[in-house]
Amino acid sequence: MDDCIFCKISSKQVPSKIVYEDDSVMAFYDIEPQAPVHIVIIPKKHIKSLDHIIEQDKNLVGYIFLCAKKIASELGLKNGYRIVNNCGKLGGQTVDHIHFHLLGGRQLQWPPG
Ligand code: AMP
Ligand code: ZN
């Protein structure tokens, strides 16, 4: 998608602080961190939101969680962390390319705001 900021990040048209990358997934530091560790994990494939995944995306979405676990371990989040997906307007999604926030490094509260 030409006008998608996360597609531009995955194609390196826009710089980011990358923490993980392979053929299908990329992870980079969020520019407005909400916790001491705040990583955004995306599939390189442009999917608009969680509400737009289809049957053929199930391995990719599952694989993102394996990547999240690996990244959390590499960043030393041994006492826990949180994965967040904001979906759609009421879910608080601001970038229309599916992504998962990896948050850690402090005690996180529940419920979220
Ligand atoms: P959401 O509100 O769930 O759609 O999350 C979008 C996230 O992307 C926000 O936490 C933003 O701070 C983050 N973000 C937007 N643009 C960039 C960028 N160029 N590099 C890193 N993170 C970004
Ligand atoms: Zn995109």
Side-chain angles (χ1 to χ4, degrees), residues 1 4 6-7 46 97:
M1 289 280 287
C4 171
F6 286 175
C7 283
H46 182 87
H97 179 130

Side-chain angles (χ1 to χ4, degrees), residues 72-83:
S73 171
E74 286 173 357
L75 294 179
L77 301 177
K78 60 183 187 303
N79 291 321
Y81 53 89
R82 182 175 294 171
I83 302 294

Side-chain angles (χ1 to χ4, degrees), residues 27-87:
F28 50 88
Y29 281 89
D30 197 292
I31 41 165
E32 283 185 51
Q34 303 300 316
V37 175
H38 187 172
I39 308 296
V40 179
I41 308 173
I42 64 167
K44 290 187 171 178
K45 176 185 176 184
H46 182 87
I47 302 169
K48 192 173 173 190
S49 79
L50 188 65
D51 209 33
H52 293 78
I53 59 170
I54 56 174
E55 182 74 16
Q56 74 185 52
D57 297 322
K58 67 184 180 188
N59 287 342
L60 176 60
V61 174
Y63 178 61
I64 286 172
F65 280 80
L66 280 175
C67 293
K69 173 186 155 177
K70 187 174 169 189
I71 294 162
S73 171
E74 286 173 357
L75 294 179
L77 301 177
K78 60 183 187 303
N79 291 321
Y81 53 89
R82 182 175 294 171
I83 302 294
V84 173
N85 171 256
N86 297 326
C87 179

